[in-house]
């Protein structure tokens, strides 16, 4: 069953602004991953952060992980219209199973 | 191939009928995963394979769901006697050298939308 939580559920910002999404989980993890899903399509892997890492960058993406609080955040800087999508976090537990958040729907207004 | 392929794109079945979904993982990937997505959220893990062997099937409703990954064939997910609540998008994903190799990212197919009427 779903064990991850994400907030906000939906986020609408102007193009060029930064977007921050948060994710919390309940179990011990091996790593935490963020995925993007465009409407009606499959998921695209964005970034993975291992349990012994605190922060990771990839292009305009910045992910943080706080294992003491069992939480992670995804920051998208200088947002673009093409960033409009749903974003999911997935925590990989010790059984290598991904535990998914419910997703954040991000809308970038031109 | 370089992408995970899933067929069919859409599948409509009357309640009680059988549904079979197919997935061709990326060539060279050792792990295959099946997920169910209901109402555009709530990804539910169903089953995973390491090559043709079941790796983790803790998410499978065993009474009606079954899955296989046979050599030189697409993987399949079969639902016997479908129910209305089986209506969802079913995603397949594959993963490279695998968990032992520390490659944890998953590559997803476009999904199969199953509608049970």
């Amino acid at each position: 069953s779903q064990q991850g939580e994400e907030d906000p559920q939906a986020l609408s910002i102007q193009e060029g602004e930064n977007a921050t999404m948060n994710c919390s989980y309940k179990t011990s993890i091996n790593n935490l991953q963020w995925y993007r899903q465009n409407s009606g399509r499959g998921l695209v892997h964005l970034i993975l952060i291992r349990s012994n890492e605190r922060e990771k960058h990839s292009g305009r993406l910045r992910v943080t992980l706080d294992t003491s609080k069992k939480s992670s955040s995804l920051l998208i800087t200088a947002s673009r219209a093409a960033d409009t999508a749903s974003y999911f976090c997935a925590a990989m537990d010790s059984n290598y199973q991904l535990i998914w958040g419910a997703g954040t729907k991000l809308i970038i207004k031109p | 191939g370089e992408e995970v392929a899933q067929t069919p794109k859409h599948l409509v079945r009357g309640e009680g009928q059988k549904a079979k979904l197919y997935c061709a993982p990326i060539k060279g990937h050792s792990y295959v995963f099946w997920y169910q997505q209901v109402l555009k959220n709530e990804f539910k893990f169903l089953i995973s394979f390491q090559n043709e062997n079941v790796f983790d099937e803790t998410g499978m409703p065993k009474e009606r769901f079954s899955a296989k990954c046979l050599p030189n064939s697409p993987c399949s997910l079969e639902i016997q006697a479908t129910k209305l609540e089986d209506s969802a998008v079913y995603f397949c994903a594959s993963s490279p050298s695998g968990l032992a190799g520390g490659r944890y990212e998953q590559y997803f197919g476009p999904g199969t939308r199953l509608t049970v009427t």
Side-chain angles (χ1 to χ4, degrees):
Chain A
S1 63
Q2 200 82 357
Q3 292 184 30
E5 293 179 7
E6 286 187 61
D7 76 272
Q9 284 190 328
L11 180 61
S12 182
I13 60 173
Q14 291 295 139
E15 197 168 17
E17 292 181 337
N18 297 341
T20 299
M21 288 158 269
N22 302 297
C23 166
S24 62
Y25 55 91
K26 296 179 182 176
T27 187
S28 298
I29 63 168
N30 178 294
N31 62 76
L32 188 136
Q33 305 178 34
W34 285 89
Y35 289 82
R36 183 186 71 225
Q37 184 179 35
N38 290 88
S39 180
R41 307 198 60 176
L43 291 158
V44 174
H45 180 266
L46 295 176
I47 194 166
L48 179 153
I49 186 165
R50 297 180 191 275
S51 59
N52 61 354
E53 296 176 311
R54 292 296 165 257
E55 188 171 312
K56 200 159 182 181
H57 297 253
S58 176
R60 294 184 296 113
L61 303 180
R62 174 179 165 247
V63 169
T64 62
L65 179 65
D66 187 335
T67 52
S68 66
K69 294 180 180 176
K70 290 187 164 52
S71 66
S72 173
S73 67
L74 172 68
L75 169 68
I76 304 174
T77 60
S79 62
R80 304 169 182 169
D83 295 331
T84 294
S86 291
Y87 291 81
F88 292 86
C89 69
M92 180 170 277
D93 67 14
S94 54
N95 295 320
Y96 302 113
Q97 191 175 125
L98 285 178
I99 311 298
W100 294 84
T104 293
K105 188 170 182 179
L106 176 64
I107 296 171
I108 308 298
K109 296 179 285 188
Chain B
E2 292 297 316
E3 293 183 340
V4 176
Q6 288 189 249
T7 57
K9 210 169 180 178
H10 301 282
L11 189 58
V12 180
R13 286 289 178 265
E15 205 170 6
Q17 291 185 318
K18 185 173 73 176
K20 196 163 185 178
L21 293 62
Y22 296 93
C23 167
I26 294 173
K27 196 175 178 181
H29 281 194
S30 306
Y31 288 81
V32 171
F33 306 82
W34 283 99
Y35 296 93
Q36 179 194 58
Q37 187 185 31
V38 178
L39 297 175
K40 291 192 178 179
N41 55 19
E42 295 260 351
F43 279 92
K44 181 190 173 196
F45 168 79
L46 295 175
I47 190 169
S48 60
F49 289 84
Q50 181 183 10
N51 298 310
E52 63 266 26
N53 303 307
V54 173
F55 185 76
D56 183 346
E57 57 182 347
T58 52
M60 282 286 268
K62 292 201 180 155
E63 303 81 36
R64 298 181 297 109
F65 284 60
S66 62
K68 292 179 190 174
C69 272
L70 301 175
N72 304 313
S73 295
C75 296
S76 64
L77 176 69
E78 189 167 341
I79 309 172
Q80 303 285 343
T82 51
K83 296 183 178 180
L84 295 176
E85 63 255 33
D86 297 332
S87 293
V89 181
Y90 290 83
F91 287 99
C92 171
S94 68
S95 189
S97 58
L99 310 171
R103 295 287 307 275
Y104 303 113
E105 68 273 22
Q106 298 183 13
Y107 297 80
F108 281 74
T112 292
R113 181 176 295 280
L114 172 66
T115 302
V116 180
T117 60

